[in-house]
Amino acid sequence: MDTLAPSAATATLPLVQHDAWLAPYEPVLLARQQRLQQRLTDITAQYGSLAKFATAHQRLGLNYDGRRRGYWFREWAPAATYLSLIGDFNQWDRGATPLQKGADGVWKVFLADKDYQGRLAHGSHFKVHVAGANGGKDRLPATLRRAVQDEQTKDFAGQIWRPETPFTWTDQKFRIQNYVREPFIYEAHVGMATEEHRLGTYLEFAEKVLPRIQALGYNCIQLMAIMEHPYYGSFGYHVANFFAPSSRFGTPEELKHLINEAHRRGIAVLLDVVHSHAVKNEAEGLANFDGSGGQYFHEGERGNHPGWDSKLFDYSKPEVQQFLLSNLRYWLEEFHFDGFRFDGVTSMLYHHHGEGVSFGSYDQYFGPEVDEDAVLYLQLATTLMHEMKRGALLIAEDMSGMPGLCRPIPEGGIGFDYRLGMGIPDYWIKLLKHQRDEDWNLGELWYTLTNRRAGEKTVAYAESHDQALVGDKTLAHWLLDAAIYEHMHKGDPSAVVARGVALHKMIRLLTLSLGGEAYLNFIGNEFGHPEWVDFPRQGNDWSYQHARRQWSLPDNPDLKFQYLQAFDQAMITTARQRRLLAAPPAQKLNEDHTNQVLIFERGGLIFIFNFHVTANIPDYRFFVPQPGRYRIILSSDDAQFDGFQRVDGSLTYETFQEDGVDKLSLYVTNRTALVVARV
């Protein structure tokens, strides 16, 4: 007997009305709402508003007081027994500039200009000495705005950053909603964005990479590894200094220049923000800051991530909430970021952090394994961001499928705008590793690319940085293997390359058109960047060989990488012009396993994919929802994309009646994708 879905007739939350299977869990959703409202009420009573609550960085750390003419230094360290400010201004004397402890656990000292002018200056180095149960240690302040590393000792120190001439923004007229109707996201890492064997810079990225991104048609950049991290090889995910843009790539003003220039080009900029964990280093980070064993993080084993070798925030503490919310506000206001991609949301949401867990039951989203403190923090974060910046984009990296994660809070959700479709790139890699394309199952393809929660927007992507880390390869490398080095010359008739180039184009277009309401590409993958990503480390003799982007490949008119890039540009341009990602999910029109042909409609466009290895089918007839005249507006088989130009793009095709339905007839060639539109 079939199990009937629970009734949502009596539900009060739109989220439950939309999904009847959530009815048994509505009390949990309502409790989350009520807890959020109570927390907001408490914050407003104490601070005046959530926005004012998120100003810890304006009080903590080193801040200049123009009225009193001097610097205030404050640090939250409730369990510490002694704090002093040290630096080249006082010859690093730990007894020279002690702080006084307040009742709230915040230590402070005022350094008047009359006493310190000329010594506490732009460029000066400093730290805070903290004594506690773990002894005395020189630490980097929690809200430090700039950390710099000594080339010889490799030691990090804080640096006063107060240039005489502040950066002048010219992006006042930039509005996210005017330029980003649907996000086409270019995920990038500034350090690896140069072809040379070295670190790239903010200025180089602005000058050399932004024009490429604009020309390709992407309207968002997602910047990785911006928050300061002591180990470059961590890909930026082991953050030490949450308020400091990485000094590896340049100055804060140079990062501002990059973002300002992106805005001038009509491109929004998202920060890959890491609030899911922090580096465990005590010399550079927050771990055991006041000697208590906890403070910002959970005490004991709960404070350690089992898989990431890092520290886990205690989201129940008001001071931690304030620290992280202030961090979001800081990046939004100080650097004009347009939103955030929240890293590791699955790890945040569950006590098990998603480690080795497959999510198959709604019970898992609302039971004791959920960290409700993290849920509350994320609700506070999305509330703050949407209050602070109209149109701000918030993307959650979650593989669990938490219902409501990307629905507004009043509906019963958590408030994100988009979720990363993490199953899609994993599926493509698995397919390329373990199955010949002759054996690909169209039904499985369709299911994987369309299987997402209705009403919750998804960012689709064929591959990101994760798919090309050490031990794996880019999609292009999986498809082409050694031929990516030997047979990519223009005119080379290699059958391996012909197959790889054809499938690379089809995989990307299928992912874009079926997989979600936004699309993401990792830097360089648009032209089939070879090999993998590996940052300089001891295991590779500190090599930059795989921590760079080979722009000379698509720029070389004698190589075939140019064709993959040209197709990516055409694909993105078509999708943007036709508002494809704003359209409802695709409607399947034909699934032909004999000929390996998949046809569907989305946004008024007809997509035809022939995955067959050899079959070229003349007069291929298929149903279309609307009668009329049609033209091919994009063909992966065009010569400009290194295709064989087997289909005439100048022809107009008219529907006809067959078996009582409207049909089209096309020449459908093997390993080809066609996009057809009514004219």
Side-chain angles (χ1 to χ4, degrees), residues 15 29 33 36 379 403-416:
L15 183 65
L29 293 167
Q33 275 192 342
L36 172 64
Q379 287 179 316
L405 183 67
C406 302
R407 294 303 303 167
I409 289 169
E411 294 186 9
I414 294 177
F416 283 95

Side-chain angles (χ1 to χ4, degrees), residues 152-228:
Q152 276 69 49
T153 66
K154 303 303 180 185
D155 181 43
F156 279 88
Q159 187 178 45
I160 296 175
W161 198 256
R162 196 163 167 254
E164 285 185 23
T165 307
F167 182 80
T168 303
W169 292 94
T170 61
D171 65 347
Q172 289 79 8
K173 293 183 179 179
F174 181 82
R175 298 288 182 274
I176 308 162
Q177 55 272 27
N178 293 344
Y179 290 93
V180 185
R181 297 192 292 181
E182 298 87 41
F184 291 84
I185 305 166
Y186 196 88
E187 183 185 35
H189 186 290
V190 169
M192 62 182 288
T194 178
E195 186 153 357
E196 298 171 37
H197 290 241
R198 60 172 176 81
L199 286 167
T201 69
Y202 297 127
L203 291 182
E204 288 173 323
F205 192 95
E207 179 189 348
K208 298 177 181 178
V209 184
L210 283 181
R212 291 179 178 273
I213 297 170
Q214 182 184 22
L216 287 167
Y218 290 88
N219 57 18
C220 280
I221 304 168
Q222 182 176 297
L223 288 181
M224 308 175 63
I226 296 299
M227 304 165 81
E228 190 63 90

Side-chain angles (χ1 to χ4, degrees), residues 28 177 212 260 264-265 296 302 395 421 480 483 631 648:
V28 179
Q177 55 272 27
R212 291 179 178 273
N260 193 61
R264 188 184 70 80
R265 294 177 177 273
Y296 288 95
R302 192 181 171 191
I395 301 170
L480 298 164
R631 292 192 72 167
D648 189 345

Side-chain angles (χ1 to χ4, degrees), residues 505 509 563-571 634-636 641:
K505 292 179 288 187
L509 182 59
Y563 300 122
L564 292 177
Q565 180 171 278
F567 183 77
D568 198 88
Q569 181 183 36
M571 175 182 82
L634 182 63
S635 168
S636 68
F641 310 131

Side-chain angles (χ1 to χ4, degrees), residues 181-476:
R181 297 192 292 181
E182 298 87 41
F184 291 84
I185 305 166
Y186 196 88
E187 183 185 35
H189 186 290
V190 169
M192 62 182 288
T194 178
E195 186 153 357
E196 298 171 37
H197 290 241
R198 60 172 176 81
L199 286 167
T201 69
Y202 297 127
L203 291 182
E204 288 173 323
F205 192 95
E207 179 189 348
K208 298 177 181 178
V209 184
L210 283 181
R212 291 179 178 273
I213 297 170
Q214 182 184 22
L216 287 167
Y218 290 88
N219 57 18
C220 280
I221 304 168
Q222 182 176 297
L223 288 181
M224 308 175 63
I226 296 299
M227 304 165 81
E228 190 63 90
H229 45 292
Y231 178 46
Y232 187 49
S234 76
F235 223 143
Y237 288 116
H238 282 64
V239 174
N241 313 112
F242 285 78
F243 291 80
S246 181
S247 60
R248 285 184 181 86
F249 315 131
T251 68
E253 283 67 41
E254 289 166 349
L255 174 58
K256 291 175 183 179
H257 170 76
L258 188 166
I259 296 168
N260 193 61
E261 178 65 12
H263 288 168
R264 188 184 70 80
R265 294 177 177 273
I267 301 171
V269 188
L270 310 179
L271 175 67
D272 200 344
V273 73
V274 185
H275 284 181
S276 47
H277 65 132
V279 73
K280 68 178 185 180
N281 303 28
E282 293 188 10
E284 296 91 6
L286 298 172
N288 201 20
F289 191 88
D290 67 353
S292 64
Q295 193 182 352
Y296 288 95
F297 309 106
H298 289 290
E299 294 185 12
E301 271 310 298
R302 192 181 171 191
N304 300 318
H305 194 288
W308 295 348
D309 194 30
S310 54
K311 301 299 294 182
L312 293 169
F313 286 105
D314 183 348
Y315 302 108
S316 71
K317 289 185 177 179
E319 295 88 352
V320 173
Q321 292 175 0
Q322 187 176 36
F323 175 82
L324 296 174
L325 292 172
S326 300
N327 189 233
L328 296 175
R329 177 170 181 170
Y330 166 75
W331 289 109
L332 210 62
E333 291 187 329
E334 184 70 21
F335 291 94
H336 292 203
F337 278 100
D338 300 298
F340 302 97
R341 179 264 204 186
F342 277 70
D343 172 66
V345 168
T346 306
S347 176
M348 298 172 74
L349 286 172
Y350 307 96
H351 296 300
H352 52 61
H353 311 298
E355 298 265 304
V357 176
S358 61
F359 292 85
S361 163
Y362 273 26
D363 289 343
Q364 292 169 286
Y365 304 123
F366 304 103
E369 288 301 323
V370 176
D371 186 341
E372 293 294 340
D373 294 330
V375 172
L376 173 62
Y377 165 66
L378 291 172
Q379 287 179 316
L380 288 167
T382 59
T383 300
L384 174 70
M385 289 302 95
H386 287 132
E387 278 183 12
M388 294 292 300
K389 193 160 194 170
R390 186 167 171 263
L393 294 169
L394 302 177
I395 301 170
E397 188 204 29
D398 170 46
M399 47 73 66
S400 76
M402 167 75 79
L405 183 67
C406 302
R407 294 303 303 167
I409 289 169
E411 294 186 9
I414 294 177
F416 283 95
D417 303 305
Y418 295 88
R419 174 204 317 270
L420 284 172
M422 300 175 70
I424 299 174
D426 291 345
Y427 175 75
W428 284 124
I429 290 290
K430 185 178 75 173
L431 208 59
L432 294 179
K433 279 183 181 179
H434 302 298
Q435 277 194 351
R436 304 180 309 161
D437 45 304
E438 293 95 316
D439 302 326
W440 289 2
N441 184 301
L442 296 182
E444 191 179 80
L445 268 179
W446 175 270
Y447 175 79
T448 302
L449 286 161
T450 59
N451 179 31
R452 54 187 183 273
R453 287 193 62 80
E456 299 197 36
K457 294 178 181 177
T458 295
V459 179
Y461 56 111
E463 57 183 329
S464 73
H465 63 274
D466 288 329
Q467 278 66 44
L469 289 173
V470 179
D472 218 320
K473 298 184 289 191
T474 62
L475 287 183

